[in-house]
mmCIF file with all atom_site columns, all heavy atoms in Angstrom:
data_model
loop_
_atom_site.group_PDB
_atom_site.id
_atom_site.type_symbol
_atom_site.label_atom_id
_atom_site.label_alt_id
_atom_site.label_comp_id
_atom_site.label_asym_id
_atom_site.label_entity_id
_atom_site.label_seq_id
_atom_site.pdbx_PDB_ins_code
_atom_site.Cartn_x
_atom_site.Cartn_y
_atom_site.Cartn_z
_atom_site.occupancy
_atom_site.B_iso_or_equiv
_atom_site.pdbx_formal_charge
_atom_site.auth_seq_id
_atom_site.auth_comp_id
_atom_site.auth_asym_id
_atom_site.auth_atom_id
_atom_site.pdbx_PDB_model_num
ATOM 1   N N   . THR A 1 122 ? 31.348 274.134 151.433 1.00 84.00 ? 122 THR A N   1
ATOM 2   C CA  . THR A 1 122 ? 30.742 273.168 150.553 1.00 84.00 ? 122 THR A CA  1
ATOM 3   C C   . THR A 1 122 ? 30.349 273.809 149.226 1.00 84.00 ? 122 THR A C   1
ATOM 4   O O   . THR A 1 122 ? 30.580 273.264 148.154 1.00 84.00 ? 122 THR A O   1
ATOM 5   C CB  . THR A 1 122 ? 29.495 272.552 151.230 1.00 84.00 ? 122 THR A CB  1
ATOM 6   O OG1 . THR A 1 122 ? 29.865 271.954 152.484 1.00 84.00 ? 122 THR A OG1 1
ATOM 7   C CG2 . THR A 1 122 ? 28.868 271.510 150.324 1.00 84.00 ? 122 THR A CG2 1
ATOM 8   N N   . LEU A 1 123 ? 29.715 275.009 149.304 1.00 85.00 ? 123 LEU A N   1
ATOM 9   C CA  . LEU A 1 123 ? 29.285 275.691 148.096 1.00 85.00 ? 123 LEU A CA  1
ATOM 10  C C   . LEU A 1 123 ? 30.491 276.098 147.233 1.00 85.00 ? 123 LEU A C   1
ATOM 11  O O   . LEU A 1 123 ? 30.479 275.860 146.013 1.00 85.00 ? 123 LEU A O   1
ATOM 12  C CB  . LEU A 1 123 ? 28.451 276.923 148.473 1.00 85.00 ? 123 LEU A CB  1
ATOM 13  C CG  . LEU A 1 123 ? 27.929 277.781 147.303 1.00 85.00 ? 123 LEU A CG  1
ATOM 14  C CD1 . LEU A 1 123 ? 27.012 276.950 146.429 1.00 85.00 ? 123 LEU A CD1 1
ATOM 15  C CD2 . LEU A 1 123 ? 27.225 279.019 147.833 1.00 85.00 ? 123 LEU A CD2 1
ATOM 16  N N   . THR A 1 124 ? 31.471 276.716 147.871 1.00 83.00 ? 124 THR A N   1
ATOM 17  C CA  . THR A 1 124 ? 32.655 277.182 147.117 1.00 83.00 ? 124 THR A CA  1
ATOM 18  C C   . THR A 1 124 ? 33.407 276.011 146.489 1.00 83.00 ? 124 THR A C   1
ATOM 19  O O   . THR A 1 124 ? 33.783 276.039 145.302 1.00 83.00 ? 124 THR A O   1
ATOM 20  C CB  . THR A 1 124 ? 33.599 277.972 148.036 1.00 83.00 ? 124 THR A CB  1
ATOM 21  O OG1 . THR A 1 124 ? 32.861 279.063 148.616 1.00 83.00 ? 124 THR A OG1 1
ATOM 22  C CG2 . THR A 1 124 ? 34.771 278.517 147.238 1.00 83.00 ? 124 THR A CG2 1
ATOM 23  N N   . GLY A 1 125 ? 33.632 274.974 147.294 1.00 84.00 ? 125 GLY A N   1
ATOM 24  C CA  . GLY A 1 125 ? 34.330 273.805 146.778 1.00 84.00 ? 125 GLY A CA  1
ATOM 25  C C   . GLY A 1 125 ? 33.592 273.134 145.618 1.00 84.00 ? 125 GLY A C   1
ATOM 26  O O   . GLY A 1 125 ? 34.173 272.724 144.641 1.00 84.00 ? 125 GLY A O   1
ATOM 27  N N   . GLY A 1 126 ? 32.267 273.080 145.727 1.00 85.00 ? 126 GLY A N   1
ATOM 28  C CA  . GLY A 1 126 ? 31.469 272.470 144.667 1.00 85.00 ? 126 GLY A CA  1
ATOM 29  C C   . GLY A 1 126 ? 31.547 273.252 143.359 1.00 85.00 ? 126 GLY A C   1
ATOM 30  O O   . GLY A 1 126 ? 31.704 272.681 142.270 1.00 85.00 ? 126 GLY A O   1
ATOM 31  N N   . ILE A 1 127 ? 31.510 274.588 143.461 1.00 85.00 ? 127 ILE A N   1
ATOM 32  C CA  . ILE A 1 127 ? 31.584 275.440 142.242 1.00 85.00 ? 127 ILE A CA  1
ATOM 33  C C   . ILE A 1 127 ? 32.940 275.289 141.590 1.00 85.00 ? 127 ILE A C   1
ATOM 34  O O   . ILE A 1 127 ? 33.056 275.126 140.363 1.00 85.00 ? 127 ILE A O   1
ATOM 35  C CB  . ILE A 1 127 ? 31.288 276.906 142.610 1.00 85.00 ? 127 ILE A CB  1
ATOM 36  C CG1 . ILE A 1 127 ? 29.815 277.065 143.056 1.00 85.00 ? 127 ILE A CG1 1
ATOM 37  C CG2 . ILE A 1 127 ? 31.571 277.809 141.415 1.00 85.00 ? 127 ILE A CG2 1
ATOM 38  C CD1 . ILE A 1 127 ? 29.481 278.444 143.548 1.00 85.00 ? 127 ILE A CD1 1
ATOM 39  N N   . VAL A 1 128 ? 34.021 275.375 142.385 1.00 86.00 ? 128 VAL A N   1
ATOM 40  C CA  . VAL A 1 128 ? 35.361 275.341 141.842 1.00 86.00 ? 128 VAL A CA  1
ATOM 41  C C   . VAL A 1 128 ? 35.669 273.956 141.251 1.00 86.00 ? 128 VAL A C   1
ATOM 42  O O   . VAL A 1 128 ? 36.240 273.845 140.152 1.00 86.00 ? 128 VAL A O   1
ATOM 43  C CB  . VAL A 1 128 ? 36.400 275.718 142.936 1.00 86.00 ? 128 VAL A CB  1
ATOM 44  C CG1 . VAL A 1 128 ? 37.812 275.590 142.368 1.00 86.00 ? 128 VAL A CG1 1
ATOM 45  C CG2 . VAL A 1 128 ? 36.152 277.126 143.408 1.00 86.00 ? 128 VAL A CG2 1
ATOM 46  N N   . VAL A 1 129 ? 35.271 272.907 141.948 1.00 86.00 ? 129 VAL A N   1
ATOM 47  C CA  . VAL A 1 129 ? 35.572 271.565 141.444 1.00 86.00 ? 129 VAL A CA  1
ATOM 48  C C   . VAL A 1 129 ? 34.735 271.245 140.213 1.00 86.00 ? 129 VAL A C   1
ATOM 49  O O   . VAL A 1 129 ? 35.210 270.528 139.332 1.00 86.00 ? 129 VAL A O   1
ATOM 50  C CB  . VAL A 1 129 ? 35.300 270.515 142.561 1.00 86.00 ? 129 VAL A CB  1
ATOM 51  C CG1 . VAL A 1 129 ? 35.416 269.095 142.025 1.00 86.00 ? 129 VAL A CG1 1
ATOM 52  C CG2 . VAL A 1 129 ? 36.293 270.712 143.704 1.00 86.00 ? 129 VAL A CG2 1
ATOM 53  N N   . THR A 1 130 ? 33.522 271.776 140.104 1.00 86.00 ? 130 THR A N   1
ATOM 54  C CA  . THR A 1 130 ? 32.724 271.548 138.910 1.00 86.00 ? 130 THR A CA  1
ATOM 55  C C   . THR A 1 130 ? 33.415 272.084 137.656 1.00 86.00 ? 130 THR A C   1
ATOM 56  O O   . THR A 1 130 ? 33.405 271.435 136.587 1.00 86.00 ? 130 THR A O   1
ATOM 57  C CB  . THR A 1 130 ? 31.358 272.236 139.056 1.00 86.00 ? 130 THR A CB  1
ATOM 58  O OG1 . THR A 1 130 ? 30.656 271.671 140.192 1.00 86.00 ? 130 THR A OG1 1
ATOM 59  C CG2 . THR A 1 130 ? 30.511 272.051 137.812 1.00 86.00 ? 130 THR A CG2 1
ATOM 60  N N   . ALA A 1 131 ? 34.030 273.267 137.768 1.00 86.00 ? 131 ALA A N   1
ATOM 61  C CA  . ALA A 1 131 ? 34.793 273.802 136.622 1.00 86.00 ? 131 ALA A CA  1
ATOM 62  C C   . ALA A 1 131 ? 35.944 272.881 136.259 1.00 86.00 ? 131 ALA A C   1
ATOM 63  O O   . ALA A 1 131 ? 36.318 272.761 135.074 1.00 86.00 ? 131 ALA A O   1
ATOM 64  C CB  . ALA A 1 131 ? 35.299 275.194 136.941 1.00 86.00 ? 131 ALA A CB  1
ATOM 65  N N   . TRP A 1 132 ? 36.556 272.223 137.235 1.00 87.00 ? 132 TRP A N   1
ATOM 66  C CA  . TRP A 1 132 ? 37.715 271.362 137.026 1.00 87.00 ? 132 TRP A CA  1
ATOM 67  C C   . TRP A 1 132 ? 37.322 270.079 136.303 1.00 87.00 ? 132 TRP A C   1
ATOM 68  O O   . TRP A 1 132 ? 38.070 269.566 135.443 1.00 87.00 ? 132 TRP A O   1
ATOM 69  C CB  . TRP A 1 132 ? 38.399 271.089 138.332 1.00 87.00 ? 132 TRP A CB  1
ATOM 70  C CG  . TRP A 1 132 ? 39.647 270.302 138.227 1.00 87.00 ? 132 TRP A CG  1
ATOM 71  C CD1 . TRP A 1 132 ? 40.634 270.403 137.292 1.00 87.00 ? 132 TRP A CD1 1
ATOM 72  C CD2 . TRP A 1 132 ? 40.066 269.274 139.146 1.00 87.00 ? 132 TRP A CD2 1
ATOM 73  N NE1 . TRP A 1 132 ? 41.643 269.508 137.547 1.00 87.00 ? 132 TRP A NE1 1
ATOM 74  C CE2 . TRP A 1 132 ? 41.322 268.802 138.688 1.00 87.00 ? 132 TRP A CE2 1
ATOM 75  C CE3 . TRP A 1 132 ? 39.510 268.694 140.285 1.00 87.00 ? 132 TRP A CE3 1
ATOM 76  C CZ2 . TRP A 1 132 ? 42.040 267.797 139.338 1.00 87.00 ? 132 TRP A CZ2 1
ATOM 77  C CZ3 . TRP A 1 132 ? 40.222 267.707 140.935 1.00 87.00 ? 132 TRP A CZ3 1
ATOM 78  C CH2 . TRP A 1 132 ? 41.464 267.273 140.484 1.00 87.00 ? 132 TRP A CH2 1
ATOM 79  N N   . VAL A 1 133 ? 36.193 269.487 136.685 1.00 87.00 ? 133 VAL A N   1
ATOM 80  C CA  . VAL A 1 133 ? 35.820 268.171 136.133 1.00 87.00 ? 133 VAL A CA  1
ATOM 81  C C   . VAL A 1 133 ? 35.145 268.288 134.775 1.00 87.00 ? 133 VAL A C   1
ATOM 82  O O   . VAL A 1 133 ? 34.908 267.275 134.123 1.00 87.00 ? 133 VAL A O   1
ATOM 83  C CB  . VAL A 1 133 ? 34.897 267.427 137.120 1.00 87.00 ? 133 VAL A CB  1
ATOM 84  C CG1 . VAL A 1 133 ? 35.582 267.192 138.448 1.00 87.00 ? 133 VAL A CG1 1
ATOM 85  C CG2 . VAL A 1 133 ? 33.585 268.197 137.332 1.00 87.00 ? 133 VAL A CG2 1
ATOM 86  N N   . LEU A 1 134 ? 34.842 269.514 134.340 1.00 88.00 ? 134 LEU A N   1
ATOM 87  C CA  . LEU A 1 134 ? 34.268 269.652 133.001 1.00 88.00 ? 134 LEU A CA  1
ATOM 88  C C   . LEU A 1 134 ? 35.276 269.243 131.937 1.00 88.00 ? 134 LEU A C   1
ATOM 89  O O   . LEU A 1 134 ? 36.471 269.533 132.058 1.00 88.00 ? 134 LEU A O   1
ATOM 90  C CB  . LEU A 1 134 ? 33.841 271.107 132.760 1.00 88.00 ? 134 LEU A CB  1
ATOM 91  C CG  . LEU A 1 134 ? 32.563 271.614 133.403 1.00 88.00 ? 134 LEU A CG  1
ATOM 92  C CD1 . LEU A 1 134 ? 32.376 273.107 133.098 1.00 88.00 ? 134 LEU A CD1 1
ATOM 93  C CD2 . LEU A 1 134 ? 31.365 270.839 132.888 1.00 88.00 ? 134 LEU A CD2 1
ATOM 94  N N   . PRO A 1 135 ? 34.851 268.572 130.894 1.00 89.00 ? 135 PRO A N   1
ATOM 95  C CA  . PRO A 1 135 ? 35.771 268.298 129.771 1.00 89.00 ? 135 PRO A CA  1
ATOM 96  C C   . PRO A 1 135 ? 36.348 269.583 129.199 1.00 89.00 ? 135 PRO A C   1
ATOM 97  O O   . PRO A 1 135 ? 35.704 270.605 129.221 1.00 89.00 ? 135 PRO A O   1
ATOM 98  C CB  . PRO A 1 135 ? 34.877 267.551 128.753 1.00 89.00 ? 135 PRO A CB  1
ATOM 99  C CG  . PRO A 1 135 ? 33.760 266.999 129.555 1.00 89.00 ? 135 PRO A CG  1
ATOM 100 C CD  . PRO A 1 135 ? 33.518 267.990 130.678 1.00 89.00 ? 135 PRO A CD  1
ATOM 101 N N   . GLU A 1 136 ? 37.575 269.489 128.703 1.00 89.00 ? 136 GLU A N   1
ATOM 102 C CA  . GLU A 1 136 ? 38.273 270.675 128.235 1.00 89.00 ? 136 GLU A CA  1
ATOM 103 C C   . GLU A 1 136 ? 37.505 271.365 127.095 1.00 89.00 ? 136 GLU A C   1
ATOM 104 O O   . GLU A 1 136 ? 37.454 272.592 127.035 1.00 89.00 ? 136 GLU A O   1
ATOM 105 C CB  . GLU A 1 136 ? 39.656 270.273 127.727 1.00 89.00 ? 136 GLU A CB  1
ATOM 106 C CG  . GLU A 1 136 ? 40.596 271.446 127.553 1.00 89.00 ? 136 GLU A CG  1
ATOM 107 C CD  . GLU A 1 136 ? 42.008 270.983 127.234 1.00 89.00 ? 136 GLU A CD  1
ATOM 108 O OE1 . GLU A 1 136 ? 42.167 270.101 126.361 1.00 89.00 ? 136 GLU A OE1 1
ATOM 109 O OE2 . GLU A 1 136 ? 42.964 271.494 127.855 1.00 89.00 ? 136 GLU A OE2 1
ATOM 110 N N   . VAL A 1 137 ? 36.899 270.575 126.213 1.00 90.00 ? 137 VAL A N   1
ATOM 111 C CA  . VAL A 1 137 ? 36.155 271.171 125.103 1.00 90.00 ? 137 VAL A CA  1
ATOM 112 C C   . VAL A 1 137 ? 34.925 271.897 125.602 1.00 90.00 ? 137 VAL A C   1
ATOM 113 O O   . VAL A 1 137 ? 34.606 273.000 125.127 1.00 90.00 ? 137 VAL A O   1
ATOM 114 C CB  . VAL A 1 137 ? 35.781 270.082 124.088 1.00 90.00 ? 137 VAL A CB  1
ATOM 115 C CG1 . VAL A 1 137 ? 34.914 270.627 122.963 1.00 90.00 ? 137 VAL A CG1 1
ATOM 116 C CG2 . VAL A 1 137 ? 37.045 269.451 123.479 1.00 90.00 ? 137 VAL A CG2 1
#
Side-chain angles (χ1 to χ4, degrees):
T122 303
L123 179 62
T124 304
I127 294 174
V128 176
V129 172
T130 299
W132 183 41
V133 300
L134 283 176
E136 195 173 46
V137 175

